[in-house]
Amino acid sequence: METTQKLVKRKSELESEIRALELDLKSHGVNRTEPLLDQDGFPRSDIDIVAIVEIRRSLNYKQNDLKALMAEIEQSLVHLHQQQLSSKEPEPKKASGRPFARISMVAPNSPASDAGFLVGDTIVKYGSVEFENHDGLKLLIKETTENIDKKITVVVERVVDGEPRHLQLELVPNRGWGGDGLLGCYILPISK
């Protein structure tokens, strides 16, 4: 960010220098392209040709410097944008439905514990299962057994600092975690 700001500041300085040179050129009564020779091919006697050539040369150098600086600014902005995208933490996903199940126990070192489940979390979405289709948790059980050793995305609602928040967790059901069941937690339905 700091590098980009320095480049932009340098760009402003260069543009100011170019404007000053153009005003200086105008004060000599010519512009960047006006001929310095009269119609007979002799140097004009009404202008300071040496000063004008020097100003035009400086203008060309400054224009080239400005073009190179603009390319550098562009690269710096692209790099800065990529850094911001890669460092941005994904926001927790909000599920549209309402909670349909509650976590009442989480065994230590279980898949549920590894995923970040806490007692009191309510499940809003479990893979493709939501409030509207959970069928008394039957589809939750089916989703679990069909995804042994595969990730299931689970959206839970958790109270953080007194505010309910939706968090996205990744759960991997498996049999070999050292305890009973595939998850290592108790999930109870929430009454309507």
Side-chain angles (χ1 to χ4, degrees):
M1 180 76 154
E2 194 174 310
T3 305
T4 306
Q5 289 173 336
K6 285 180 183 176
L7 291 172
V8 170
K9 183 179 178 191
R10 178 66 187 131
K11 174 187 165 278
S12 295
E13 291 168 359
L14 257 177
E15 288 171 336
S16 293
E17 291 171 20
I18 289 170
R19 279 192 298 275
L21 286 169
E22 286 174 338
L23 286 173
D24 195 14
L25 197 58
K26 199 175 199 177
S27 72
H28 285 281
V30 294
N31 60 30
R32 287 185 186 202
T33 58
E34 193 171 329
L36 302 179
L37 303 175
D38 63 19
Q39 46 207 289
D40 297 325
F42 293 104
R44 288 176 47 188
S45 60
D46 62 324
I47 56 175
D48 185 354
I49 293 180
V50 175
I52 293 169
V53 168
E54 184 61 30
I55 294 168
R56 284 181 176 179
R57 185 188 59 75
S58 292
L59 267 170
N60 287 335
Y61 285 150
K62 301 270 184 206
Q63 279 301 139
N64 289 336
D65 290 348
L66 184 61
K67 284 179 188 176
L69 187 60
M70 292 297 289
E72 201 174 337
I73 289 171
E74 182 181 353
Q75 288 297 100
S76 181
L77 286 172
V78 166
H79 180 71
L80 181 64
H81 184 67
Q82 287 171 342
Q83 277 183 323
Q84 287 176 341
L85 285 178
S86 66
S87 68
K88 199 178 224 184
E89 290 184 25
E91 292 185 23
K93 281 195 172 180
K94 280 227 174 202
S96 59
R98 63 184 215 211
F100 62 91
R102 179 177 308 283
I103 306 295
S104 65
M105 186 281 296
V106 178
N109 302 316
S110 65
S113 172
D114 293 345
F117 281 84
L118 298 177
V119 172
D121 284 350
T122 55
I123 299 174
V124 176
K125 186 170 181 164
Y126 187 95
S128 62
V129 181
E130 297 180 280
F131 177 82
E132 292 79 17
N133 67 354
H134 71 85
D135 191 23
L137 302 187
K138 289 178 188 167
L139 285 180
L140 185 138
I141 294 165
K142 182 180 178 201
E143 185 89 14
T144 302
T145 56
E146 289 177 353
N147 288 289
I148 295 172
D149 295 323
K150 298 177 193 164
K151 280 186 184 178
I152 299 174
T153 301
V154 181
V155 177
V156 298
E157 186 174 275
R158 181 179 297 165
V159 177
V160 179
D161 297 326
E163 294 289 323
R165 292 193 51 178
H166 287 195
L167 305 172
Q168 182 175 306
L169 307 176
E170 299 292 332
L171 176 67
V172 181
N174 73 57
R175 288 189 164 84
W177 66 272
D180 293 333
L182 297 171
L183 303 178
C185 68
Y186 292 148
I187 300 175
L188 302 174
I190 295 177
S191 321
K192 293 182 183 180

